[in-house]
Amino acid sequence: MLKLYDTPGCPLERQRFTWRELVQQPISKLDDDAFTRLRVILMSGIENEAVRFQHMAARMNGELRLALAEVRRAEQHQATAVACLLGSDHSPLETTIAYEQLAVELTAALALREPDAYLAQVYRFGLPEHLDHLYRYSALLDRLEGKDANNILQSYTDILPGRPTRFAHRAPADDLRLPYERATAAPLSKMHALTLGAAAYQARDYYMGAGAQFSDPLARQLYAEIASIEEQHLTQYSAMLDPAEGWLEQWLLHEGNEVYNYYGCALQESNPRVRALWERFLDYELGHFHLVCGLFKRHARRDPAEVLPTPLPEAIALNSHRDFIRRVLQNETGLRARGAQFVDKKRETARSKAYRAQMNRDGSPSDSVAAGYAWVPGTELNRSVIAID
């Protein structure tokens, strides 16, 4: 296990790049393991979350602006290097399939290990919705490009309908969740909330931009519909953070979370070249973490170990969770949100029903795109041969 306070990492002043280092050879769409691609998407989201948070913190903290700017420059360069690992041979829809595979497997991993029963329920509640998004986008990939989504998924994740997307639209009051308590929550709970929130933010922003790349009106509508659900997911995951955490405490948690996730990626990565990048950025993030520890002691006059003890929790197991996902699908797809609680669909609020009726008044793109679609084993090449015969 990585001991945060015993590993100083690379000092910020030695974290230098060239343009060639920022734009390295991308991963292979078909030859690399699917979870290498998922780690790239995850770390891209976490780096973008770090940059976004530090910009917001700088607006509110004059004394910290220089330190935030210096760390943020390194974070932005890291974000660029990670994003460039995703090859241009991925179509926007294939990248979308990977985004949803990450959402499914990451949410399942967190739900299985989350020590807080309520937060684990929040993760399980979102899981059937992520799975349904994967199913709808897989139908769109088949419809527009004639491709089998399993070429991207590599048989790790099932293509099954979950909680139908048309039923997942909720009023904002039914998307707010109870936050963890900063003084008593396990460090693992804090890492989970930050990690999944970053992933949801990344997915929402990607879908809002990617949808405009399609000429097919149904594809554009589907991206708009699922981007709206991702905004709901981002709302619920962000609400799990304790609003009593100050800016410096949040910064410390962000840097600790980056260390935590790069460490997990380095442990599990099968591509040696990509693993070397994870290890390099782990070293950089340790440098950022120790810099923020110094600021935390100086300005907050507190011990950073009060917020994040050492060693770090065990790394997130980013792998296939098929059996767990099927159990959740069977037992919890019928749940709905009522305020911060989860109830049988018969007890869903009138406000969410009214909101959903308005949004679906002209029809549901997610229903239309999957009409008549059922995934079957075999690539599009196999189906083409069968059709010719």
Side-chain angles (χ1 to χ4, degrees):
M1 298 298 292
L2 182 65
K3 295 186 177 180
L4 270 174
Y5 301 100
D6 297 338
T7 314
C10 178
L12 183 61
E13 60 271 16
R14 290 172 47 201
Q15 297 180 18
R16 302 188 181 103
F17 297 90
T18 67
W19 304 122
R20 184 168 294 180
E21 287 177 307
L22 289 186
V23 184
Q24 300 185 18
Q25 179 183 347
I27 63 172
S28 169
K29 181 171 75 172
L30 298 180
D31 293 337
D32 275 302
D33 186 81
F35 284 100
T36 292
R37 179 169 41 242
L38 300 197
R39 283 185 281 271
V40 169
I41 294 171
L42 173 63
M43 295 317 302
S44 181
I46 287 176
E47 285 289 3
N48 285 325
E49 164 65 18
V51 172
R52 186 168 46 243
F53 167 79
Q54 289 167 27
H55 272 295
M56 295 302 298
R59 296 180 185 183
M60 306 295 179
N61 298 276
E63 283 186 293
L64 298 176
R65 282 184 176 175
L66 177 57
L68 284 160
E70 290 174 338
V71 172
R72 191 169 62 243
R73 183 65 55 84
E75 300 279 21
Q76 191 273 334
H77 285 157
Q78 290 173 207
T80 299
V82 173
C84 287
L85 288 175
L86 202 62
S88 59
D89 56 345
H90 294 75
S91 73
L93 253 176
E94 289 174 321
T95 301
T96 299
I97 297 297
Y99 267 76
E100 289 302 337
Q101 184 179 27
L102 173 64
V104 169
E105 299 297 353
L106 177 62
T107 306
L110 303 191
L112 274 168
R113 300 190 325 133
E114 174 56 53
D116 183 293
Y118 174 77
L119 298 181
Q121 174 69 84
V122 174
Y123 299 140
R124 293 199 308 274
F125 180 74
L127 190 51
E129 295 180 359
H130 294 310
L131 194 67
D132 198 70
H133 296 172
L134 177 60
Y135 176 75
R136 308 292 162 170
Y137 280 130
S138 296
L140 185 65
L141 182 68
D142 181 81
R143 180 175 182 268
L144 293 187
E145 301 181 19
K147 294 178 180 176
D148 182 356
N150 197 47
N151 288 335
I152 298 297
L153 304 174
Q154 296 179 6
S155 297
Y156 288 123
T157 309
D158 288 332
I159 303 174
L160 293 170
R163 181 179 299 118
T165 296
R166 72 177 183 276
F167 291 129
H169 303 288
R170 294 178 289 273
D174 292 324
D175 278 323
L176 296 178
R177 305 292 171 246
L178 301 176
Y180 62 69
E181 295 185 7
R182 54 184 282 273
T184 59
L188 189 61
S189 294
K190 299 177 182 182
M191 299 295 97
H192 284 172
L194 283 171
T195 299
L196 197 54
Y201 218 128
Q202 181 84 343
R204 188 208 65 173
D205 285 0
Y206 181 75
Y207 296 165
M208 289 175 67
Q213 299 180 41
F214 292 86
S215 59
D216 184 276
L218 183 57
R220 295 167 74 95
Q221 289 177 26
L222 181 66
Y223 272 86
E225 181 179 12
I226 295 183
S228 180
I229 300 294
E230 292 299 339
E231 170 63 23
Q232 295 181 196
H233 288 168
L234 179 56
T235 295
Q236 73 172 359
Y237 299 144
S238 296
M240 297 189 303
L241 306 178
D242 189 338
E245 291 170 344
W247 285 103
L248 261 172
E249 185 170 344
Q250 290 183 47
W251 192 9
L252 189 69
L253 285 170
H254 273 79
E255 296 299 344
N257 191 54
E258 289 182 90
V259 171
Y260 174 62
N261 278 286
Y262 273 122
Y263 177 66
C265 287
L267 282 178
Q268 300 173 61
E269 183 55 63
S270 58
N271 182 318
R273 181 173 55 81
V274 177
R275 183 170 62 247
L277 191 67
W278 301 149
E279 291 170 346
R280 177 182 179 179
F281 288 171
L282 168 60
D283 204 30
Y284 285 11
E285 291 301 342
L286 282 163
H288 301 169
F289 178 78
H290 283 277
L291 185 151
V292 179
C293 281
L295 294 170
F296 190 74
K297 292 175 183 177
R298 187 180 318 131
H299 293 281
R301 300 186 182 279
R302 293 173 57 195
D303 184 353
E306 296 174 17
V307 179
L308 278 178
T310 187
L312 282 172
E314 185 179 347
I316 296 170
L318 200 55
N319 51 39
S320 180
H321 298 87
R322 179 172 284 109
D323 291 340
F324 174 74
I325 292 167
R326 288 179 175 178
R327 289 198 303 273
V328 172
L329 196 61
Q330 180 178 359
N331 298 327
E332 304 190 36
T333 299
L335 292 180
R336 300 290 186 267
R338 187 181 182 90
Q341 303 303 320
F342 304 103
V343 299
D344 183 86
K345 58 186 176 183
K346 294 179 181 178
R347 297 181 57 207
E348 188 176 19
T349 64
R351 61 191 173 221
S352 280
K353 291 180 180 178
Y355 171 76
R356 186 164 60 242
Q358 166 60 35
M359 295 304 296
N360 291 332
R361 188 178 63 181
D362 296 331
S364 166
S366 55
D367 274 4
S368 298
V369 78
Y373 174 76
W375 181 81
V376 293
T379 68
E380 66 275 6
L381 293 179
N382 285 337
R383 292 203 298 273
S384 296
V385 169
I386 292 171
I388 293 171
D389 289 346

